[in-house]
């Protein structure tokens, strides 16, 4: 009876509890307004999930995607993760803001930007430009350094838009700047710069840690380096002429892109790329070669009256190889003067950045003129050093000048006899040529003897033409009225611009042109007096007369914007040559003695070498064939 009672009580209890629950559910059911709010929240969740699914496709980031400097709530973090993936962490750090870190050495003042981790400004502390403004190689966004890579979650990222965390430490006397793009406290991409106190070269390493599962190894990882070369010199057109891309490839070969409006090239096994700005240079060097490099140079000076800020725009794309899914590339940066002595001291073939000329021309500059000028300028003012070097060069070349003048004197003495031969055999060109060669052979003279000494001087002439525009030591060194021997001198400013000449008058080119005019009057006068007129040939005398006036005018226009040091050299060189030739003519060479010597040589039996014999035989055979044809 009691057991039944217990069961009945239990059933009643369950019924009461169920009734209470039903009542509570009824009294707590949402109102129509609350139901509407729930439906709206559900719809927003569906939309958010749909948007997230769409972002699973490849996303290319832009600078605006990284502008979040403080993630305040989970919704912002979700949005950031959707866009940046693993690299969203870098934008949550205190360093995720556009700030710069300044580091100074004895030679450089460098700013490193949190955004992109690259150098945002470089000032060379020991130099100023033509307006006395400090030399900046990088300033106000003229340079860009970026690594473009894909991620394992199908994103394309650019480091130039991401925020790096900077730290500065010391390694002995060196300053180490570490810029880390973090995925987590222990996972990051690092740019490591090590600056030495008294050096323009810094160590630079790109390495990653713990990113093998973040970076997509099946896609190219490319390093992009762009720079617009800032104008530093008084003449932007002259500076632009020596501004170019120089690179080393395939184990020591070097090349350059040239001066066209747009040039590009592709090279393999590249060990360095230099953006040369005439007297200042930016160079990226690698310990191990880049497999390929795509290089580009664009001329920015269309009109030197309007385009006054930049000379050329350079761009380079270099692939970075992954090792075990990680980046580890040891490199160097050089930011400094294009000084041959400094660049050559690194023993990394950087002297090729300075355009000293190819082949024998470069050899003469490296082993003769650079050491000679360095020695002279060590104890003499730079202008005087140029004059002394010019005197020494002309003295060394004076035997060549002497031989050339003697040859012209011999030809002058023989001119009447050659004219006689021309008249005698005017109807027989073959015989005339044969007799003329016989006369030259007996007299010991040759029309080519005067040309060969002149050709021997060409390597020296061209080597010096390359030397003076590349001589960094001449930069901002004054002499007489020239304020800067590496740029043009100005004695008058014109109120207008003359094509190919400029808006100024330079005195050194005028003096050099006058010296060339008098020198050419002397030499061409001698040549016209010694050179017989050949029938059927152009009138060389008339052509030489034109050259007497054309060459100085060309010199005047061409050198008006060139370095005054180069014009000073040509002025002094031609002045000395004129003096040497006057001494040779008036005190060394006696035309009567030359004539007597020639007559004596003509009496002696002249031995012919194998070539002369062969030529004589060929001419005799040709003459005989002509006679046979006439008989028929």
């Amino acid at each position: 009876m009691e057991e039944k009672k217990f069961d009945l009580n239990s059933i009643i209890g369950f019924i009461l509890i169920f009734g209470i629950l039903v009542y509570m559910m009824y009294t707590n059911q949402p109102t129509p307004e609350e139901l509407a709010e729930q439906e709206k929240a559900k719809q927003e969740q569906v939309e958010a999930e749909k948007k997230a699914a769409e972002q699973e496709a490849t996303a290319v980031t832009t600078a605006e995607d990284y502008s979040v400097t403080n993630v305040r709530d989970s919704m912002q973090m979700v949005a950031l993760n959707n866009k940046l993936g693993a690299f969203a962490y870098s934008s949550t750090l205190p360093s995720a803001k556009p700030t710069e870190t300044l580091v100074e050495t004895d030679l450089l003042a460098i700013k490193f930007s949190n955004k992109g981790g690259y150098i945002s400004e470089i000032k060379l502390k020991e130099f100023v430009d033509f307006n006395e403004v400090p030399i900046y190689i990088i300033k106000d966004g003229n340079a860009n350094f970026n690594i473009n890579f894909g991620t394992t979650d199908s994103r394309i990222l650019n480091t130039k838009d991401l925020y790096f965390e900077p730290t500065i430490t010391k390694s002995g006397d060196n300053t180490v700047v570490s810029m880390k793009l973090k995925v987590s406290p222990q996972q990051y991409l690092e740019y490591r710069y090590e600056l030495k106190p008294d050096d323009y070269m810094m160590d630079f390493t790109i390495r990653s840690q713990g990113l093998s599962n973040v970076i997509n190894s099946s896609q190219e990882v490319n390093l992009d380096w762009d720079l617009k070369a800032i104008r530093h010199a008084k003449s932007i057109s002259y500076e632009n002429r020596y501004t170019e891309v120089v690179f080393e490839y395939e184990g020591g070969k070097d090349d350059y892109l040239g001066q066209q409006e747009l040039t590009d090239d592709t090279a393999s096994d590249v060990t360095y790329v230099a953006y040369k700005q005439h007297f200042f240079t930016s160079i990226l060097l690698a310990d191990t070669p880049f497999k390929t490099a795509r290089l580009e140079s664009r001329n920015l000076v269309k009109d030197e009256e309007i385009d006054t800020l930049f000379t050329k725009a350079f761009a380079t794309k270099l692939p970075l190889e992954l090792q075990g899914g990680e980046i580890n590339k040891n490199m160097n940066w050089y930011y400094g003067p294009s000084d041959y002595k400094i660049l050559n001291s690194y023993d990394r073939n950087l002297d090729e950045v300075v355009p000293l000329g190819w082949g024998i021309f470069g050899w003469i500059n490296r082993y003769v003129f650079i050491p000679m000028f360095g020695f002279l300028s060590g104890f003499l003012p730079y202008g005087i050093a140029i004059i002394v070097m010019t005197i020494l060069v002309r003295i060394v070349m004076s035997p060549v000048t002497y031989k050339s003048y003697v040859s012209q004197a011999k030809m002058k003495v023989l001119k009447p006899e050659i004219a006689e031969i021309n008249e005698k055999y005017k109807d027989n060109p073959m015989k005339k040529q044969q007799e003329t060669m016989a006369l030259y052979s007996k007299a010991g003279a040759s029309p080519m003897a005067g040309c060969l000494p002149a050709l021997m001087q060409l390597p020296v002439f061209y080597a010096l033409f390359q030397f003076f525009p590349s001589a960094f030591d001449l930069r901002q060194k004054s002499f007489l009225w020239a304020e800067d021997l590496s740029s043009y001198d100005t004695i008058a400013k014109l109120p207008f611009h003359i094509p190919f000449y400029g808006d100024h008058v330079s005195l050194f080119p005028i003096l050099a042109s006058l010296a060339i005019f008098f020198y050419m009057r002397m030499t061409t006068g001698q040549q016209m007096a010694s050179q017989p007129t050949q029938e059927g040939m152009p009138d060389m005398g008339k052509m030489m007369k034109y050259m007497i006036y054309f060459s100085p005018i060309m010199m005047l226009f061409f050198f008006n914007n060139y370095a005054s040091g180069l014009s000073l050299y040509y002025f002094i060189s031609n002045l000395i040559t004129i003096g040497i030739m006057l001494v040779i003519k008036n005190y060394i060479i006696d035309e009567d003695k030359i004539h007597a010597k020639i007559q004596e040589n003509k009496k002696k039996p002249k031995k012919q070498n194998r070539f002369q014999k062969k030529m004589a035989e060929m001419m005799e055979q040709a003459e005989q064939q002509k006679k046979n044809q006439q008989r028929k």
Side-chain angles (χ1 to χ4, degrees):
M1 185 72 179
E2 288 181 2
E3 186 177 76
K4 290 181 180 179
K5 184 180 178 181
F6 175 77
D7 291 337
L8 182 60
N9 290 337
S10 297
I11 292 170
I12 294 171
F14 283 126
I15 292 172
L16 287 173
I17 291 172
F18 178 77
I20 293 170
L21 289 172
V22 170
Y23 176 79
M24 290 177 64
M25 290 174 64
Y26 176 80
T27 55
N28 290 315
Q29 67 179 337
T31 63
E33 290 80 12
E34 289 175 336
L35 286 170
E37 287 292 328
Q38 289 178 6
E39 185 65 24
K40 183 179 179 182
K42 184 177 180 181
Q43 186 65 29
E44 287 177 351
Q45 184 178 357
V46 170
E47 289 295 326
E49 289 175 354
K50 182 180 178 182
K51 189 175 182 180
E54 290 175 351
Q55 289 177 339
E56 285 298 317
T58 299
V60 179
T61 60
T62 61
E64 289 74 17
D65 298 320
Y66 311 103
S67 60
V68 180
T69 57
N70 185 22
V71 180
R72 296 179 180 272
D73 54 46
S74 59
M75 288 296 290
Q76 286 177 306
M77 193 64 200
V78 167
L80 205 54
N81 278 322
N82 288 338
K83 194 65 179 177
L84 306 183
F87 287 91
Y89 177 79
S90 64
S91 291
T92 68
L93 302 175
S95 57
K97 52 188 175 182
T99 56
E100 294 175 319
T101 302
L102 174 64
V103 176
E104 295 196 42
T105 67
D106 298 336
L107 303 175
L108 303 170
I110 306 177
K111 289 182 180 179
F112 299 87
S113 174
N114 286 16
K115 191 173 184 179
Y118 178 54
I119 297 167
S120 56
E121 184 176 288
I122 288 189
K123 180 174 76 173
L124 304 185
K125 297 168 73 172
E126 294 190 334
F127 305 102
V128 294
D129 67 11
F130 68 105
N131 280 326
E132 300 298 317
V133 175
I135 291 291
Y136 289 91
I137 293 181
I138 298 175
K139 186 177 174 65
D140 297 333
N142 72 308
N144 173 49
F145 185 86
N146 175 59
I147 296 178
N148 175 272
F149 63 96
T151 63
T152 52
D153 55 357
S154 302
R155 290 176 172 80
I156 301 296
L157 300 179
N158 293 283
T159 58
K160 66 180 180 179
D161 298 323
L162 295 165
Y163 286 99
F164 288 66
E165 185 178 65
T167 57
I168 301 175
T169 56
K170 280 286 186 179
S171 176
D173 293 332
N174 298 346
T175 302
V176 177
V177 179
S178 172
M179 306 294 289
K180 291 181 179 178
L181 172 61
K182 292 188 172 181
V183 169
S184 72
Q186 283 75 42
Q187 295 174 281
Y188 50 80
L189 174 69
E190 180 186 23
Y191 294 168
R192 185 183 185 275
Y193 307 84
E194 185 166 347
L195 290 71
K196 305 172 184 68
D198 193 22
D199 199 343
Y200 292 105
M201 185 84 75
M202 71 180 82
D203 296 338
F204 177 58
T205 301
I206 300 176
R207 74 182 190 94
S208 65
Q209 178 173 300
L211 300 186
S212 58
N213 61 341
V214 176
I215 297 176
N216 188 347
S217 59
S218 64
Q219 290 181 271
E220 274 194 350
V221 178
N222 288 312
L223 185 160
D224 298 310
W225 177 35
D226 307 333
L227 183 138
K228 287 200 295 184
I230 301 171
R231 179 241 190 118
H232 297 134
K234 186 161 56 173
S235 172
I236 191 170
S237 59
Y238 180 65
E239 180 180 15
N240 200 26
R241 190 176 293 120
Y242 295 96
T243 299
E244 59 190 355
V245 176
V246 182
F247 56 97
E248 183 188 56
Y249 66 105
E250 293 180 4
K253 299 177 184 176
D254 57 90
D255 204 350
Y256 59 94
L257 291 191
Q259 299 295 321
Q260 296 178 17
E261 189 162 325
L262 175 62
T263 55
D264 55 57
D265 199 359
T266 302
S268 57
D269 296 329
V270 173
T271 41
Y272 73 70
V273 177
Y275 293 163
K276 182 179 176 296
Q277 300 174 233
H278 194 186
F279 283 130
F280 299 97
T281 300
S282 311
I283 309 175
L284 177 62
L285 307 96
D287 287 359
T288 56
F290 294 99
K291 279 191 173 180
T292 59
R294 294 192 290 276
L295 308 112
E296 180 181 287
S297 173
R298 243 179 341 110
N299 183 24
L300 301 179
V301 183
K302 306 292 190 299
D303 185 342
E304 61 181 281
E305 296 295 301
I306 300 171
D307 306 316
T308 59
L309 298 178
F310 303 101
T311 52
K312 285 188 174 71
F314 304 127
T316 300
K317 184 180 287 293
L318 302 161
L320 291 175
E321 297 180 55
L322 299 180
Q323 301 172 4
E326 303 284 355
I327 301 172
N328 189 10
K329 189 73 174 179
N330 295 320
M331 293 173 282
N332 299 93
W333 284 114
Y334 176 89
Y335 292 102
S338 305
D339 187 329
Y340 176 84
K341 296 186 293 296
I342 294 175
L343 292 173
N344 194 45
S345 67
Y346 292 108
D347 196 25
R348 298 182 70 173
N349 203 31
L350 296 182
D351 57 300
E352 297 294 342
V353 173
V354 182
L356 297 176
W358 54 271
I360 189 173
F361 312 116
W363 187 92
I364 292 171
N365 277 324
R366 285 181 176 84
Y367 301 109
V368 179
F369 292 137
I370 289 176
M372 182 193 298
F373 188 75
F375 171 74
L376 293 173
S377 61
F379 61 90
L380 293 173
Y382 285 92
I384 302 298
I386 291 174
I387 293 172
V388 173
M389 187 172 84
T390 308
I391 293 170
L392 292 174
V393 171
R394 295 317 306 170
I395 289 174
V396 171
M397 298 301 293
S398 59
V400 177
T401 305
Y402 172 76
K403 287 184 178 181
S404 177
Y405 201 91
V406 167
S407 175
Q408 291 175 12
K410 286 182 178 180
M411 294 298 296
K412 184 180 179 181
V413 170
L414 290 174
K415 187 176 182 181
E417 294 184 53
I418 294 172
E420 188 178 323
I421 292 172
N422 289 341
E423 180 64 26
K424 185 177 181 180
Y425 299 102
K426 61 181 179 181
D427 297 327
N428 192 341
M430 187 69 72
K431 186 65 175 177
K432 180 172 62 176
Q433 185 71 16
Q434 193 173 0
E435 291 296 320
T436 302
M437 289 183 65
L439 176 63
Y440 287 152
S441 179
K442 288 179 181 179
S446 170
M448 292 301 295
C451 299
L452 290 175
L455 290 173
M456 289 173 62
Q457 296 183 66
L458 282 178
V460 175
F461 176 89
Y462 184 76
L464 286 166
F465 182 79
Q466 293 290 104
F467 168 77
F468 282 104
S470 302
F472 185 85
D473 290 341
L474 293 180
R475 186 178 181 273
Q476 297 184 341
K477 301 299 190 299
S478 62
F479 180 66
L480 298 177
W481 58 85
E483 296 178 351
D484 185 351
L485 286 169
S486 72
S487 185
Y488 59 82
D489 63 289
T490 306
I491 58 168
K493 195 75 176 172
L494 301 176
F496 47 83
H497 185 272
I498 301 174
F500 305 108
Y501 185 75
D503 60 356
H504 62 278
V505 178
S506 299
L507 183 54
F508 275 129
I510 294 174
L511 295 175
S513 298
L514 289 171
I516 285 177
F517 173 75
F518 288 109
Y519 166 72
M520 292 194 71
R521 282 198 65 176
M522 289 180 64
T523 55
T524 54
Q526 179 77 1
Q527 287 171 0
M528 285 188 289
S530 63
Q531 203 76 341
T533 303
Q534 298 289 336
E535 188 178 347
M537 297 294 289
D539 189 348
M540 295 302 295
K542 188 177 289 187
M543 291 178 66
M544 287 178 180
K545 283 181 181 178
Y546 289 140
M547 288 300 295
I548 291 174
Y549 299 98
F550 178 72
S551 295
I553 292 173
M554 188 176 67
M555 171 80 181
L556 184 64
F557 273 78
F558 188 73
F559 283 90
N560 195 60
N561 289 299
Y562 259 71
S564 53
L566 184 62
S567 300
L568 171 62
Y569 163 76
Y570 285 128
F571 169 58
I572 299 298
S573 177
N574 285 297
L575 214 58
I576 294 170
T577 305
I578 290 170
I580 290 173
M581 290 184 68
L582 288 172
V583 170
I584 291 171
K585 180 181 179 180
N586 296 319
Y587 299 100
I588 298 176
I589 289 182
D590 187 332
E591 291 186 4
D592 293 334
K593 287 184 179 180
I594 290 174
H595 185 271
K597 182 70 174 175
I598 287 174
Q599 299 306 319
E600 188 178 328
N601 288 341
K602 287 162 68 175
K603 294 175 183 177
K604 296 177 182 178
K606 189 71 175 178
K607 291 183 178 180
Q608 291 182 322
N609 58 36
R610 184 180 286 178
F611 175 74
Q612 290 173 326
K613 286 181 179 179
K614 189 69 175 175
M615 287 295 293
E617 289 174 3
M618 288 173 64
M619 292 182 74
E620 286 177 2
Q621 289 174 4
E623 181 67 20
Q624 188 63 41
Q625 287 177 0
K626 185 177 179 182
K627 288 180 179 178
N628 293 337
Q629 288 175 354
Q630 288 174 348
R631 286 172 186 169
K632 292 179 181 179

